[in-house]
Amino acid sequence: MTEFWLISAPGEKTCQQTWDKMMMTTTHSNNLSTNHKFNIPDLKVGTLDVLVGLSDEMAKLDSFVEGVVKKVAQYMADVLEDSRDKVQENLLANGVDLVTYVTRFQWDMAKYPIKQSLKNISEIISKQVAQIDNDLKARASAYNNLKGNLQNLERKNAGSLLTRSLADIVKKEDFVLDSEYLITMLVVVPKTGYADWQKCYETLSEMVVPRSTNLLFEDQDSGLFSVTLFRKAIDDFRHKARENKFTVRDFQYNEQEMNADKEEMTRLSTDKKKQFGPLVRWLKVNFSEAFIAWVHIKALRVFVESVLRYGLPVNFQAMLLQPNKKNIKKLREVLSELYKHLDSSASIIDATMDIPGLNLSQQEYYPYVYYKIDCNLLDFK
């Protein structure tokens, strides 16, 4: 399971005792979860007012950063297209897989100096992730435009003979060119109608050149035939062809236009290949940055919430539980039993009330501090 519960409980005589008790209850006796200590450094507490305000702000910041982390991950999957199975190995934090990063979490002192106030640290994270979000929008928009234009051209060169581009099918020698009186037209004939076409094309209108039809190309359903006639008979021929279920394609042989299309396709294809590598590298680096920022926010939230709930001096143990999938309900019950003494007011608090600093309306409420970290960030359609 890639879901973790980040919880905290007050230190008993020592924080180690809190940890030992938790291990006894959830792991040694019944294998409900795999547990890790979660190290939060000595952060600056500040005033109670600031903590209460921060608690609300951080709930919003947590959602925002989680959204950005998921967007970067999902876009990585979109960009990798056919190699989607490679996505997971590109979604790393600090060079390791997400589960390893979370279970061995160490605060990054260089990025988020703990001499700063909690508010400053949360602002550093907020700015950093907002920048990633803006960059992602710009890069995704440029790459998607390129990809969209290329797909449109590819679509023009695929599909049925009724709609696809004919530039890569026909050759100069298939046409009577530069004639004042004659013109070569292209007609799509269903495979079941080949015999009818051969029998009647010369008489569909006046002025069709006898024995001038050639089959130039076939797909699954139909064939593309050329036929030469006098220019003044075009409208009549088109009309009669339609009555016989033959489709005349609007096509003028123009070498320059056809070459321009081919060159555009080559250019777009080369551009896409050129941008692919740098884009994937950018996504890898910024996924890592955003994910690291997200776990630091969880750490900040645990710290703030623990001080608000358990009071000063700061004395709590943060713990990371990886629930055993079959025992989630049982684990909740055991934790509630273990920590129910922490919260005599739990029975009085109505979870629909919005109490600053408790965020009851946004999430489930437990007598211990609890946040979820879900490392499964991809939503494969």
Side-chain angles (χ1 to χ4, degrees), residues 23-85:
M23 289 298 284
M24 271 309 299
T25 323
T26 61
T27 303
H28 300 329
S29 55
N30 48 16
N31 191 24
L32 297 179
S33 60
T34 309
N35 307 333
H36 307 266
K37 280 186 179 176
F38 190 86
N39 296 312
I40 299 174
D42 296 330
L43 298 165
K44 282 189 162 180
V45 177
T47 66
L48 190 62
D49 281 1
V50 169
L51 287 181
V52 170
L54 261 180
S55 177
D56 286 344
E57 277 169 38
M58 277 191 204
K60 291 178 192 133
L61 184 57
D62 189 345
S63 300
F64 168 66
V65 177
E66 180 179 1
V68 173
V69 168
K70 284 184 170 167
K71 261 193 273 184
V72 178
Q74 196 59 48
Y75 195 59
M76 173 89 81
D78 294 348
V79 168
L80 288 174
E81 294 176 31
D82 305 332
S83 330
R84 279 190 154 208
D85 50 336

Side-chain angles (χ1 to χ4, degrees), residues 17 59 87 92 125 222 270 281 290 315 344 348 361 375 377-378:
Q17 269 182 315
V87 178
L92 303 175
I125 293 176
S222 41
T270 311
R281 276 195 296 281
N315 178 26
S344 53
I348 314 163
S361 52
C375 294
L377 301 163
L378 287 172

Side-chain angles (χ1 to χ4, degrees), residues 81-149:
E81 294 176 31
D82 305 332
S83 330
R84 279 190 154 208
D85 50 336
K86 300 265 192 303
V87 178
Q88 220 57 54
E89 67 197 50
N90 283 298
L91 297 179
L92 303 175
N94 242 354
V96 296
D97 66 86
L98 306 184
V99 169
T100 304
Y101 178 78
V102 173
T103 52
R104 298 185 189 163
F105 174 74
Q106 291 294 327
W107 187 274
D108 189 328
M109 301 285 181
K111 273 197 191 106
Y112 313 114
I114 57 172
K115 290 203 165 62
Q116 302 253 8
S117 69
L118 295 174
K119 192 162 179 53
N120 281 3
I121 295 173
S122 78
E123 278 168 5
I124 291 171
I125 293 176
S126 177
K127 279 191 189 127
Q128 178 200 4
V129 178
Q131 184 63 53
I132 291 173
D133 192 35
N134 290 332
D135 286 355
L136 176 67
K137 281 177 193 146
R139 283 166 193 266
S141 164
Y143 189 74
N144 290 351
N145 274 344
L146 186 61
K147 197 163 130 183
N149 291 340

Side-chain angles (χ1 to χ4, degrees), residues 1 31-32 322-331:
M1 238 183 119
N31 191 24
L32 297 179
Q322 193 170 6
N324 184 334
K325 204 169 190 172
K326 299 189 200 95
N327 297 329
I328 289 183
K329 194 160 176 277
K330 178 77 178 136
L331 180 60

